[in-house]
Every structure is written in C-alpha cells, then in structure tokens.
Amino acid sequence: SPHIPGISLSVKYIPSLGGGGDYYDVFEFGDKKRFGILMADSNSHGLAATLLTVLLKLRMEEMKDRFPDSKSFITFLNREITSVHNKSGTSMSLLYGILDRASLTFQYTSAGNLKPILWRRGQSSPVASSQNPEVGGVDHFEFREEVISLQPGDLMVLHTNGLEAPMKRRLKSGIAGVLESLSQNEGMAEPLKVQNELMGLVDEHVSKKKLKDDITLIQLAVDERAMYVAKAEGNQSK
C-alpha cells in the first residue's frame, strides 16, 4: 500500500475456502496528491477473475486522464465486465473512490452494497449513498457518485460482506458496535486497535466454522495535522 502523508492506511485481507472472491487495490495518481481505492466483492471466483482480466488491460498511469472521476471508472468496468462475463444473473458489488489528501475529500461510487463507514468524534457519522446496481448486472446505467468531506481525527472504514458473518456471533451492531466499544474511553478509534478487535472476532468465528466468503478490511485514519501537511506541501510547490 502507498504511503499517504497525513493519512494512516491499514489493509487486511483474509481469503476463504468458499466460493466468494474479493479484490482490492490502492494506488497513487501521478500528482501524488490523489489515491485510488478499489474494492470488489463477488459471489464467485470466476467473476472476480473477470474483473482482474479487465483491470490488467489498463495502465494505472492512464487513470488520471481517462477516468477523471469515480463514476466514469465504474461505468467503464460495468460495460467491460458485462461484455466479457455475459452469464445471466452474475454481478458483483464494487466500490471505487478517489482520496484527495489536499482537499481531504473522498469522491466515490458504490455499485451494490459496499458502503463506507465514517467514524467521527466518537460516533458513527451519516454518509450519503446512492442506490446503484451491482456491476455486471445492467448493461447501461447512469451511476451516481458521492463525496465525503473528511476532517482531522476521522476514521473511514471500508469492508466487504465477508466480515458480516463474524460480527453476527456477537451482540454488536456490526463494525459500528466495535468502534463504539473501542472509543468509549478514548473518543477516537485507532485503526490498529479496530483491526485487532475485528480480527479477534474473525478468529473466534473461524475456530467454530469455516469462512464462506473472503474478508477485506481497509481503514483510513485522518491525522490531526493532515490539513497542515497538505497546505505546507502546496506552498512548497508554488
């Protein structure tokens, strides 16, 4: 994963023995201020392989000019996957976002049920989300994107559906419940502590039954000095 000044990035991936396949990627744009974050959750490894086939045709350095926003990239993937993997009833949830550390914004498009969780000042903060269909399920669709304005101290969590089963084994309201328990005394959930807590629940789940779906967990914590770092670098480049 790339180093992002002012942002702490944590990624955890656990493969399953089942039929579900996850894919994720985090890459840096040429301007070194924007970062693309891609996460996909498929109900079959075949469809995940199709996504990888499409992505391998791209050169990431072309992303800046070819796909200036998240929805144009999702639209492209939907069209390509539909044409390559033309089996009926096959689709995948996919989220792609562009993190701009200069403006502290996360511009994203969610196709399906992958939604960001924003933890701010010790509690879950509402995040707008458009109802877009999964990728590969509809030939032509005008995907809609959203923008999250991040603040110093924020924690943004992205995860695939595989994390839901381990969460259900505890009387917690999903990841939000885990974050709440970790922040009761501190007011802010740290990525490493969140990851350790969540992976502890996963280990407890795996000790009793096998994972049926891959798990991908991506966390971005905004440093208290993130805005200062971005402004300082901007002044140096002038």
Side-chain angles (χ1 to χ4, degrees):
S1 300
H3 171 66
I4 307 177
I7 305 289
S8 297
L9 176 65
S10 173
V11 179
K12 186 72 173 182
Y13 168 72
I14 303 177
S16 71
L17 299 177
D22 286 1
Y23 177 88
Y24 79 90
D25 195 6
V26 182
F27 56 90
E28 184 179 28
F29 281 91
D31 56 18
K32 299 186 181 301
K33 295 185 182 299
R34 296 189 301 154
F35 298 81
I37 301 175
L38 176 64
M39 174 183 286
D41 190 342
S42 172
N43 56 14
S44 72
H45 287 288
L47 194 57
T50 301
L51 171 64
L52 183 58
T53 300
V54 173
L55 292 174
L56 287 175
K57 296 179 181 179
L58 294 172
R59 295 194 325 180
M60 288 305 176
E61 52 266 32
E62 296 177 349
M63 295 286 290
K64 177 182 176 181
D65 298 323
R66 189 171 179 183
F67 307 107
D69 50 41
S70 62
K71 65 180 180 180
S72 61
F73 184 48
I74 292 290
T75 300
F76 167 79
L77 290 179
N78 181 63
R79 184 175 64 249
E80 290 295 309
I81 290 175
T82 302
S83 63
V84 174
H85 198 89
N86 54 10
K87 296 181 180 179
S88 60
T90 56
S91 58
M92 70 166 62
S93 291
L94 196 151
L95 184 148
Y96 173 65
I98 300 174
L99 173 68
D100 189 328
R101 66 181 184 84
S103 62
L104 283 186
T105 58
F106 184 66
Q107 174 203 68
Y108 73 97
T109 298
S110 173
N113 57 15
L114 301 183
K115 313 295 182 184
I117 296 175
L118 180 62
W119 195 256
R120 174 175 293 166
R121 299 189 184 95
Q123 62 183 356
S124 179
S125 181
V127 174
S129 184
S130 300
Q131 297 301 316
N132 295 317
E134 293 185 338
V135 166
V138 182
D139 289 340
H140 301 284
F141 185 81
E142 190 67 28
F143 288 92
R144 295 176 293 274
E145 66 182 0
E146 304 289 349
V147 178
I148 298 176
S149 295
L150 297 170
Q151 300 177 10
D154 282 355
L155 174 66
M156 186 171 66
V157 180
L158 309 174
H159 71 91
T160 53
N161 296 330
L163 194 56
E164 294 177 0
M167 295 296 100
K168 292 179 180 179
R169 296 197 61 83
R170 287 287 189 90
L171 296 178
K172 295 179 180 290
S173 56
I175 291 183
V178 176
L179 291 171
E180 184 177 359
S181 66
L182 290 174
S183 63
Q184 284 178 349
N185 298 323
E186 302 176 13
M188 178 180 175
E190 298 180 5
L192 184 57
K193 290 184 178 180
V194 174
Q195 179 174 296
N196 289 340
E197 179 77 7
L198 293 176
M199 291 308 106
L201 295 177
V202 171
D203 291 340
E204 180 182 338
H205 176 80
V206 172
S207 68
K208 299 177 181 179
K209 59 174 62 177
K210 295 180 180 179
L211 283 178
K212 295 182 179 180
D213 195 4
D214 293 0
I215 294 176
T216 302
L217 173 67
I218 299 177
Q219 299 180 89
L220 296 99
V222 184
D223 190 273
E224 294 290 353
R225 299 176 65 252
M227 192 67 75
Y228 171 80
V229 171
K231 289 182 178 179
E233 290 184 353
N235 291 333
Q236 290 177 1
S237 63
K238 292 180 181 180

